[in-house]
Structures are given as structure tokens and as C-alpha cells.
Amino acid sequence: MKRKILFSILLAFAFFTFFTLTDVVKAAEPSYGDDGNGYITLGSQKCFFANGTHISIEERDDGAQGSKIVWLDGNETKTVNVPSDINIFGGAHHDATNYPSTKITMNGGTVKNIFGGGLHQSSVTNSEVIINNGKVTGSVTGGGANVLANSDSGSHTGSNFATVVSNANVTINNGTAYNVYGGGEGYSTTETANLNINGGSMSYVTAGGSNGTTTNANVRIRNGQIALLQSVNRGEVSFADVRVLGGTIDKLYVGGETEDSSVTGSIEAVSLDITGGSVVNNLYIGKSGGQLIGTNGNNTDVDVDLYLGATVNIPNPNEFANFSVTQYVFVTIDDNRYELEVGKTLTDLTELPAIKNVAGKEFVHFVKADTGEVFEETTPINANTELKTVFKAIEQNIPTVTPGKDETPKTGENNIFSIIAITSLICSLVGFVIASKIKK
């Protein structure tokens, strides 16, 4: 009876493991044509579909323009050379199957467009695009494409056919790209778009997609050169959380850029935080629904939160007249940096008690790191400030105990062999009992 119970448990575990793994591994062999060109032609577009298989893009070995796509098929490494005007998709084409994950890593070469999702009718849960180097002459897009190559009969394009990516993730570490979009293209849907820029050179960066619907767009910029950054292009973005932590941006728009009349996308809420160390040459309020935010129609309903911790040039200050701008500075205390609103004091820092209360020390006061001048906690702070804490040691009377001849305590090393022996004996007895029961 006990053997049957044990067998049932093992069988249930095996089935659970099998179905769990098969639910995760749904990638198919990439689709790229059988004519030796390395692509499928749809209308005027050359396309490569990874179909959920994780791929990398590398320099070609033959020195020709374009790139080499590499992936694993079991234990076998496969490669195909593609031209520089290739469109690479992490997902599939005209396929209602949901692919749990896609991943495209670009390390070199030249391509036209990269999409984390699929083309036309397609579905991806988690897409990931990583650019470490190379050149993208068109766009890096976290979501999928619905209108691209629509000359392909149009039978599965448009709003009646879903192009969906639940979570789109784009990371730019280096290289060059003309456009970077967190969301998708055409009649696409992206629930969450995460865009991280750590370096590289880009002409246009948009938190949402080039079109379509993006629910939440999160942007983190730590380095790199960006000519223009905006929250929305066309389509809709519900909420954009944009944080500029470093890098250089020539033009930054809270909404969509105003110079291009085709930028008609609408946005409901934006939180923009520009920290110290960033360079923003020009900050504009931008558009929503084709109209300047805060001046026309329902654009007054756009929820805008602005936090400026860096010196930012605002060419038209009147654009921000209807919005509150929170300016903050950085207070560095013992090499740890804290954000503080302009005009506040150290007493407004929630971390202050932990900074002052250090075990074994008694706090005296703060001093400026460069001059040594005493800095009062109630002094308003209107510029970045670096401080040092001054402590004095607390005297502690700890009695000294000199052990006698037989007072030396046993250490872990003295007892380790006894512990091992007892544990081994118990385990042996338990194993013997279990073995006897099974034989019966």
C-alpha cells in the first residue's frame, strides 16, 4: 500500500513538472524563407520571425553589410546572414498562439527595424530587446507591429486583429538607433513598456509606441545622447513615468513634440523627474491630442507632475504656468545622497534619525565637507550641499573576566565531532525503520 502511495506521489510530480515545462517552452523554429536570402518578403518588407526563439544579432563574418542572426536549436547553433534592410521580430506572423517570451540581443551589425513582438495578428507575454552595439537605421520597438507590410493582403491587419505584447522591455546599452519606442506600432496594444537607456546615440525616443495603445510606460535614462525625448507620439498612453538620471537630451517634451504635426497622440498622466547630473538643453510641455497641454480644451485634464533636480533650460516658461514644478536639491551626508525639496531643512529628511543615531557614538553636529563650518539642521537648503557628521565616542565600562584553569568554555570545534556522530546515528536508525516497513 505504501509503495502505491509513493508511486502516486512521484507520478503526480512528474506530470506537474512536464506540463509546467511545456507551458514555458513554446518557441518554434524561426521563419526566414527557404531561398537562402535569410528573409521572408511581405509586400516591400524583408522579415525574419524568431517565433519565440531567443536570438542574437552579430556582425557578419563575410564583411558584407547587414548582420548575422544566431540561435540554438537544441544543442546545435544555427546562423543565417541577413541584409541591412531586414525587419526582425521576436514573435510570429499571423499567429494567434501566445508566446510566453521573446528575446533579441544585438551585439553588432546593421538592421532596419527590431520588434520585440510579432507582426499583424500576434501575441507575446514578455518581450525583451537588448542593444549592446550595432546600428538600427529604423526603429527599436518593444511591442509588435500591426500596419508594417500591410500590402500583405491586409487580411489580418487593422483593429479587428490583435497585435499584443503584455510586457515590453527595451534596454539600450550602446550603439545607434534612429527611433526607440517602448510600445508598439499601428493598431497594437502594449500593457506595460519598460525602456532603459544606459548609453548609445538616438535621434527620437518615445515612452509609448509609434502608435497604438500603451497603458503604462516607464522610462529610465542613465546615460547616452538623445536628440528628442517625448512621452507620446500617436495613439494613446495612459501613464508615463519618465526619469532622467543622466545623459544628454537636446529636446524633452512632457507630452508629444510640437514641431511634427503628425504627433497627435493623447496622454492621461505624466510624471517627469530630472535629477542632477543630467543635461537637458530644452524642456517643453508638449502636446496631447494634437494640442498644447494646459492651454486648449481637455488638455487641462492631463495630470502632470514635474520634479526638477537639475538645471534645466525652459525656453517658454509660460507653458508651465498651469502646472506646479517641484524643485529639489541633493544633500550628501557621509557620501550618501538624499533628495530634498528646495527651501526644506534636514529635519524634513525621513532618514535623519538613522543618520544621527549610530551605535557606540554620540552625535554632535553636521559640518560642511569643504569648509568644516557647522551646519544647523534647521537651515533652509537651496543648493546641493555636502555634509559630514561629527560624532564622539561613548565611553563604555565593560568588565574584564579572567577565566580560571578549568573555566575555558568548549568551542564549536570541541563539539563538532560529537554532533556529527549523534546525527549520523539518528539518520541510520530512521533509514533502517523505513527500509523494514517497505519490505513488509
Side-chain angles (χ1 to χ4, degrees):
M1 181 65 180
K2 290 184 178 180
R3 287 185 177 182
K4 290 182 178 179
I5 294 173
L6 179 60
F7 177 76
S8 299
I9 293 172
L10 292 173
L11 185 63
F13 177 77
F15 271 102
F16 173 79
T17 303
F18 174 78
F19 285 111
T20 300
L21 290 176
T22 53
D23 184 58
V24 171
V25 184
K26 287 185 178 178
E29 179 73 9
S31 304
Y32 53 93
D34 299 322
D35 53 8
N37 292 325
Y39 57 83
I40 296 171
T41 302
L42 297 175
S44 61
Q45 302 293 331
K46 300 171 184 177
C47 302
F48 178 100
F49 299 96
N51 296 329
T53 295
H54 295 185
I55 63 173
S56 67
I57 304 171
E58 314 287 343
E59 290 276 0
R60 289 178 62 143
D61 298 326
D62 57 9
Q65 287 292 313
S67 58
K68 177 179 66 175
I69 300 177
V70 183
W71 69 95
L72 281 177
D73 183 4
N75 294 323
E76 181 183 358
T77 300
K78 291 190 173 182
T79 66
V80 62
N81 289 327
V82 293
S84 59
D85 57 348
I86 190 77
N87 299 285
I88 300 177
F89 296 85
H93 177 228
H94 190 35
D95 184 355
T97 302
N98 173 262
Y99 290 88
S101 72
T102 67
K103 185 174 183 179
I104 301 172
T105 304
M106 185 173 189
N107 298 314
T110 301
V111 302
K112 183 179 180 181
N113 294 307
I114 295 177
F115 298 89
L119 174 63
H120 300 152
Q121 185 178 16
S122 57
S123 177
V124 172
T125 301
N126 296 297
S127 71
E128 184 174 12
V129 178
I130 302 172
I131 309 296
N132 293 321
N133 218 324
K135 183 178 182 180
V136 181
T137 59
S139 303
V140 177
T141 302
N146 181 274
V147 174
L148 185 80
N150 60 5
S151 57
D152 177 32
S153 77
S155 59
H156 37 264
T157 67
S159 58
N160 292 327
F161 293 90
T163 303
V164 179
V165 172
S166 299
N167 300 294
N169 302 281
V170 176
T171 301
I172 312 290
N173 294 318
N174 208 336
T176 62
Y178 188 71
N179 286 309
V180 177
Y181 298 105
E185 179 259 13
Y187 297 95
S188 64
T189 298
T190 308
E191 294 177 12
T192 300
N194 299 309
L195 178 55
N196 292 281
I197 297 177
N198 304 313
S201 177
M202 291 133 280
S203 296
Y204 295 89
V205 175
T206 303
S210 64
N211 210 327
T213 300
T214 305
T215 304
N216 294 301
N218 304 302
V219 180
R220 303 292 181 269
I221 299 173
R222 297 174 178 83
N223 210 335
Q225 303 284 328
I226 300 172
L228 189 149
L229 171 65
Q230 60 183 1
S231 295
V232 62
N233 188 56
R234 290 188 291 278
E236 299 176 355
V237 175
S238 297
F239 174 64
D241 181 11
V242 181
R243 302 185 189 184
V244 182
L245 309 172
T248 300
I249 301 171
D250 188 39
K251 296 179 180 179
L252 196 164
Y253 292 86
V254 177
E257 68 157 304
T258 56
E259 299 172 16
D260 186 350
S261 60
S262 69
V263 176
T264 57
S266 61
I267 189 163
E268 296 178 14
V270 184
S271 176
L272 173 61
D273 189 342
I274 304 174
T275 70
S278 309
V279 177
V280 176
N281 294 329
N282 300 282
L283 176 64
Y284 304 95
I285 193 67
K287 299 186 294 186
S288 177
Q291 298 178 336
L292 200 66
I293 293 176
T295 58
N296 295 290
N298 62 5
N299 284 305
T300 55
D301 295 331
V302 179
D303 186 3
V304 177
D305 292 319
L306 298 176
Y307 304 91
L308 301 183
T311 301
V312 175
N313 178 47
I314 302 178
N316 305 312
N318 59 303
E319 290 183 351
F320 297 89
N322 296 326
F323 303 100
S324 61
V325 179
T326 302
Q327 291 186 299
Y328 63 91
V329 292
F330 294 102
V331 179
T332 303
I333 303 176
D334 296 337
D335 299 323
N336 295 308
R337 194 167 74 162
Y338 307 92
E339 295 179 5
L340 194 64
E341 286 186 32
V342 170
K344 298 289 186 178
T345 69
L346 292 183
T347 57
D348 295 300
L349 284 177
T350 57
E351 300 89 351
L352 190 62
I355 296 171
K356 294 169 59 176
N357 299 323
V358 179
K361 295 183 178 181
E362 181 181 340
F363 173 76
V364 180
H365 51 233
F366 293 102
V367 298
K368 291 185 177 181
D370 54 350
T371 64
E373 175 188 356
V374 175
F375 190 93
E376 300 295 337
E377 296 174 36
T378 56
T379 302
I381 299 176
N382 295 300
N384 294 338
T385 305
E386 185 175 355
L387 303 173
K388 297 289 184 182
T389 46
V390 178
F391 294 98
K392 69 177 181 179
I394 299 175
E395 294 182 3
Q396 298 180 358
N397 296 319
I398 302 175
T400 301
V401 178
T402 303
K405 182 178 180 180
D406 298 322
E407 293 176 351
T408 304
K410 291 184 178 181
T411 64
E413 292 180 357
N414 299 127
N415 296 325
I416 188 66
F417 292 109
S418 299
I419 294 172
I420 292 173
I422 294 171
T423 303
S424 300
L425 178 61
I426 293 172
C427 291
S428 299
L429 291 173
V430 172
F432 177 79
V433 172
I434 292 173
S436 301
K437 294 291 184 180
I438 291 176
K439 288 182 179 181
K440 292 181 181 180

